Amino acid sequence: MKYQEISSGSAQVSIIIPTYNESQNILKILKSIQDYLPKNTKAQTIVVDDNSPDGTGKLVEEYMQTVKKITNNTIEVIHRKTKDGLSSAILKGIQFATGNTIVVMDSDLSHPASLLPKMIDALKHPKCDIVVASRYVNGGDIIGWTRKRKFLSRLATVIAKKGLGVRVKDPMSGFFAFKKPIIQGLSFDAIGYKMLLEILVKAKNANVTEIPYTFTNREFGKSKLDSKIALGYLKAVWKLYRFGKQAAKEEKRKSVSFLSKAGRFYSIGAVGLAINYAVSSLFTDVVSNLWYLHATIIGIAVSMSSNFVLNKVWTFEDRNFEPKHAGIQYAKFMGLSSLGALAQLGMVYVLVDHYKVDYPIALVLAVAASALSNFLLNKKLTFKEKVWS
Ligand code: GDD
Ligand code: MN
């Protein structure tokens, strides 16, 4: 693979154009992009060519030589050795992109570059992560497709929406833009044509905006979408469906784990009460004749300490006993537990005195509430776990 660029520095917007045999279109689209790009944006256009037999890649390189830096925009080309599919070409482009905003569009002039300013602008909004140029929202249209192609596109869209629960009106669009960070850490199958769909499914909390446009079928060259790619689509949907199921399972596992940890924490609390009682009585009657309040304080200290060790090892499965680390945890645990005890005391007082609740009921309510807050606070602050895990 050869990688070239005519000027360096990182761009704000990276526009990715996959090409295969597009010699009659590529220069027109590159010029059109330069014409329509907002003047104040630093942009990088990345052509990803799969060694097109018609010399598309070479054309781009020659063009790059003639476009010396007149604007603050650059054109780059990635040459891949073989025709490896549209989505994987897009993915390759994304890997090379330096912009924070990524735009993906076709090279055959079906996607109007005049829409770029609107798309880039929409992404400036903090509540917008993905912009889809859409044929299927009000104001969108398709010109030049056969009935059959229109039907197949609609069918594919219905499959995606019903099968994968995607709510976007045009999840099959090949014209879209997004903030690069939203795909960080995700891994993609990049099968066939459906890059946007895969992003929509995997970056599932992203906010999507659709902007209408008119898709105009190409004037030159041929569509590369064949029956093999259509079949690949079904495979891609199936994989994404399984992915969704897996993610749901993962969520469920998390909630079970949350509940089981809470259960352990409560059990240890109960054991702590028993230890507290045993130790206090030991010091008042058996071992020595300590004043009962002193004995109680010792009982509390011992049971809180044993609660700490048990919760560390069992509830939160933390085996790190490095003295400084464990010492800090211990101090936090004691602090939070004391706060919890005070809160419990206050609550009992308020319930009994102000709300005339029976003492035993008030006690149970207060113990439950303070144990819950103890659990959540220690989970988050002492053992540094997410609250919900
Ligand atoms: N590098 C590379 N490798 N580029 C490819 C490949 C490939 O294997 N296959 C296609 N392309 C490029 C084409 O050169 C073109 O720039 C763009 O991808 C779209 O290919 P077309 O063959 O023109 O697709 P289409 O017009 O039939 O389909 C359009 O509509 C679909 C929605 O119905 C595209 O926009 C699709 O992305 C879109 O899903
Ligand atoms: Mn096309």
Side-chain angles (χ1 to χ4, degrees), residues 22 106 108 110 145 149 215-218 222-224:
E22 301 287 2
D106 292 352
D108 58 359
S110 289
W145 265 5
R149 175 85 207 243
F215 178 102
T216 317
N217 197 19
R218 58 164 77 234
K222 281 200 307 239
S223 165
K224 280 91 205 171

Side-chain angles (χ1 to χ4, degrees), residues 36-98:
Y36 283 108
L37 267 180
K39 293 291 162 270
N40 54 351
T41 9
K42 190 162 183 277
Q44 164 195 47
T45 304
I46 304 176
V47 175
V48 187
D49 185 67
D50 284 1
N51 201 6
S52 300
D54 77 346
T56 304
K58 213 151 162 241
L59 266 181
V60 178
E61 267 180 41
E62 283 161 17
Y63 180 65
M64 279 159 36
Q65 303 309 321
T66 63
V67 194
K68 292 282 181 259
K69 272 206 291 181
I70 0 172
T71 58
N72 52 5
N73 300 329
T74 66
I75 300 173
E76 301 166 26
V77 58
I78 296 172
H79 299 278
R80 299 200 302 177
K81 287 212 181 70
T82 50
K83 184 173 184 298
D84 265 347
L86 176 52
S87 291
S88 81
I90 294 170
L91 210 56
K92 184 53 88 192
I94 294 174
Q95 279 161 9
F96 275 93
T98 57

Side-chain angles (χ1 to χ4, degrees), residues 280-343:
S280 309
S281 8
L282 206 70
F283 278 98
T284 38
D285 313 327
V286 191
V287 182
S288 66
N289 256 332
L290 271 187
W291 182 39
Y292 77 100
L293 273 187
H294 281 162
T296 306
I297 289 172
I298 294 177
I300 289 175
V302 172
S303 64
M304 264 163 61
S305 304
S306 62
N307 279 7
F308 168 70
V309 175
L310 290 172
N311 275 312
K312 182 174 163 70
V313 176
W314 190 42
T315 310
F316 299 107
E317 292 171 359
D318 172 358
R319 308 281 145 84
N320 179 357
F321 279 96
E322 192 266 312
K324 194 172 160 216
H325 170 77
I328 291 174
Q329 282 183 328
Y330 181 63
K332 280 187 184 165
F333 186 88
M334 297 301 259
L336 289 172
S337 307
S338 312
L339 272 180
L342 277 180

Side-chain angles (χ1 to χ4, degrees), residues 180-253:
K180 196 175 181 192
I182 65 155
I183 59 158
Q184 206 175 19
L186 299 177
S187 66
F188 294 102
D189 306 323
I191 299 174
Y193 267 41
K194 297 308 149 215
M195 200 59 226
L196 173 63
L197 183 63
E198 194 170 359
I199 293 176
L200 290 172
V201 170
K202 295 192 172 167
K204 72 172 194 298
N205 294 323
N207 294 306
V208 185
T209 306
E210 286 186 86
I211 301 180
Y213 86 104
T214 300
F215 178 102
T216 317
N217 197 19
R218 58 164 77 234
E219 217 176 303
F220 306 104
K222 281 200 307 239
S223 165
K224 280 91 205 171
L225 204 159
D226 53 21
S227 54
K228 204 174 133 212
I229 291 172
L231 214 71
Y233 172 65
L234 294 177
K235 191 172 149 201
V237 169
W238 175 243
K239 276 199 124 173
L240 288 175
Y241 176 75
R242 297 268 302 272
F243 173 89
K245 281 268 173 273
Q246 196 59 36
K249 246 196 204 156
E250 198 65 10
E251 271 301 303
K252 201 169 158 206
R253 201 188 54 74

